[in-house]
């Protein structure tokens, strides 16, 4: 008898019929001889509807504490209805809010982090034979304030709870069949991966494959929680995410990811002085702006140029921050570029296969596409290129690394992110 | 500086604009130098919408525990939005769910009773200068389960909280101007009462004047909480409800109430034996059916007839219960009558004014209406009559007891009940 945590996102429980289908799925799993704990997100558009409601009341940014109070009702509605749907099928079910399930967080409203889990109530109910439903995305501070975990929060709830109750498996149900070698909407012959290791998944998650939230993957890696990502609409086997994935013969690169949300900022004519870069990046960090790839050119006439990428949504703010420190740094000018994308190849075997990087450069060059920036790590390599050739580049890389299959991939809707 | 509990029902916060108006009202009250604690119901139709959602999932009666989980989100949404609306006006506000506010109840889901209040968090926030918003209608068991209080629950939350924090006044804001001498929709010259005592209010509340829930009035009487019922849409003075209302010169009867939800059941030919009635009424009580007026005729040929009234909604079930014990009791037949109403006069001065009852009988008889049943208490007298003459009877009694004024009464919409 296995103890399984099952997580269902908002589109999986988007209406009463889907809710019933999810309930049937859970009941099946329980009747196969498992004990099930279910983490559920708010139904479909509920969160957006609640945000709209708050905008009718508040002109500026709403107070984060009250926003958490408001948004946490979304999961409470879906967990109660899901418990009812399960009981309707003849199994006993009981639902718990984040605070009832003992999800303790820090007090950073709207993006709280889980600091502790006290799952006594959940464990007791499981032992009594109930299917337990827990609201995703929410917790409580030590002080009794309701918090929410921010984007990807329900994935994190599921993984953290699985770790706390020592579940045998954490199943993330979503609207795609599993993790693919690349986006099936771009490459029709993308292949579903049977297994992937945490680090690879982390790179893919961070690189924009929006199936699993990076924070949840980090948590899973840290607590060694075996994960599987699978479809809530089919019974196909999903993709297992674990510490050591079996290396498939000849497959060094596991997947190809891309990120369209990339802008490049170049600071030109920076007087050569110790600590100049540090000043720039600490000013950006203070504003919560993450910097990704950084490239510095050689020094010429006592001044250097350097470039870095930020999320396009942060670009304007980043330019303001840089303008505000121009006199302090004394650089000549700062320019920004949009219409860029980052393409990455990911695979734990890359580090011991030196030909991998060369293949990437060759493949992109053969298409006549110039590479603007490059960044590498042990298990990934990223190139920033012009946006208009993205699809060609992804397809060519997919073929070059031997990832194509004959089977057309299942293409889901937009992935869920809560 | 007074400490005031203000309660707003669902229609007062039915949409964003009303929410903002209520916020302005609260901020005014605070800026007059008071400290305000606000109890709020779910917005407008929220509760009905949630019930509809559950009906799409569950075929029979939904599990009460999960229903409470579901419905309690309604107040959580409105309290968060109201706190935002108050902050938008420049005052500091903080919202608390029932469990956060320390509303402890028994574990009877969907109609829990408050057993204890631990308002430390509320008091601390008030002392720190915040306007505190508390979700009405909900609480938590000692065991950490979410409960709801059932109909009229938000009134009870407000009164109980006022008692617990030793508030100087509990203001119930509703969609009518106060308590009227009778229903202004029936008698245009109904007068708004300036004061009324708890017992009178209790009779009026129980008799169908749906402005204040009886349980809330009982609570207020028990803890001697001064109440005022007033309109959320006007600044008119409302009606004060307290222990000893000032007796107005010459006014013995304070108000005239009626209840259209009345059915009469008659059990005919009951063999005279000790304990027969007890058997009938304990069988009905076991099914949760409340019996109101009971009348027994004299015994003839060793058998008696008796009649009693029940809510029309309970009539069919009551007849089933009675049929099921026919052989045990050995009565001849049971018949039921609908199309009846109960008209009541209420006034604390009645007991020392013997002419009051005679005036009621005379007034009704002069209209050619027959009285089917009568029931009296120290402060009220009720007659069951045919439904079709109800309005004439109420108007005639209103005049007979000197309650008419020249001012046309404000007629609100249907009163709120949560």
């Amino acid at each position: 008898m296995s103890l399984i945590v099952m997580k269902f996102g908002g589109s999986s429980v988007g209406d009463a019929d889907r809710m019933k289908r999810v309930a049937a799925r859970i009941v099946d799993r329980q009747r196969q001889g498992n004990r099930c704990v279910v983490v559920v997100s708010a139904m479909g558009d509920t969160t957006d509807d609640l945000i709209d409601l708050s905008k009718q009341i508040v002109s500026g940014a709403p107070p984060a504490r009250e926003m958490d109070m408001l948004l946490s009702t979304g999961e409470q509605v879906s967990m109660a209805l899901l418990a009812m749907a399960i009981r309707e099928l003849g199994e006993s079910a009981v639902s718990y809010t984040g605070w009832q399930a003992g999800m303790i967080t820090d007090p950073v409203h709207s993006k709280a982090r889980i600091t502790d889990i006290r799952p006594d109530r959940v464990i007791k109910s499981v032992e009594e034979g109930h299917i337990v439903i827990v609201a995703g995305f929410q917790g409580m501070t030590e002080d009794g304030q309701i918090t929410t975990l921010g984007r990807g929060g329900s994935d994190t709830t599921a993984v953290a709870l699985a770790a706390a109750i020592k579940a045998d498996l954490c199943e993330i149900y979503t609207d795609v069949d599993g993790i693919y070698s690349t986006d099936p909407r771009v490459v029709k012959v993308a292949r579903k991966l049977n297994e992937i290791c945490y680090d690879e998944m982390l790179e893919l998650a961070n690189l924009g494959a929006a199936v699993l939230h990076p924070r949840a993957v980090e948590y899973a890696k840290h607590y060694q929680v075996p994960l599987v990502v699978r479809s809530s609409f089919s019974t196909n086997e999903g993709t297992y995410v674990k510490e050591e994935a079996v290396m498939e013969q000849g497959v060094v690169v596991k997947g190809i990811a891309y990120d369209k949300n990339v802008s490049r900022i170049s600071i030109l004519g920076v007087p050569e002085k110790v600590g100049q870069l540090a000043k720039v990046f600490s000013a950006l960090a203070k504003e919560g702006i993450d910097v990704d790839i950084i490239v510095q050119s050689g020094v010429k006439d006592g001044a250097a140029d350097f470039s870095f990428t930020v999320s396009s949504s942060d670009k304007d703010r980043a330019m303001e921050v840089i303008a505000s420190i121009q006199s302090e740094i004394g650089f000549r000018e700062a320019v920004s570029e949009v219409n860029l994308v980052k393409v990455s190849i990911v695979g734990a075997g890359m580090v011991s296969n030196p030909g991998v990087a060369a293949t990437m450069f060759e493949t992109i060059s053969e298409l006549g596409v110039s590479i603007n920036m490059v960044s590498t790590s042990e298990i990934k390599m990223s190139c920033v290129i012009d946006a208009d050739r993205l699809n060609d580049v992804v397809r060519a890389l997919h073929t070059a690394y031997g990832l194509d299959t004959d089977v057309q991939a299942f293409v889901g809707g937009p992935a869920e992110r809560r």
Side-chain angles (χ1 to χ4, degrees), chain A residues 180-194:
Chain A
Y180 276 79
S181 56
T182 192
D183 187 338
R185 284 168 296 193
V186 173
V187 180
K188 287 211 165 19
V189 291
R191 63 152 118 198
K192 197 191 73 194
L193 306 174
N194 294 324

Side-chain angles (χ1 to χ4, degrees), chain A residues 26 35 44 78 150 153 160 191 223 255 279 284 298 301 346 373 384 387:
Chain A
I26 296 165
R35 292 171 304 166
S78 56
R191 63 152 118 198
Y223 290 97
K279 274 181 204 154
L284 290 169
D301 302 334
V346 174
M373 297 170 93
V384 175

Side-chain angles (χ1 to χ4, degrees), chain A residues 8-23:
Chain A
F8 292 90
S11 74
S12 302
V13 292
D15 57 34
D17 284 335
R18 288 183 169 204
M19 189 75 87
K20 288 178 192 170
R21 238 180 301 157
V22 164

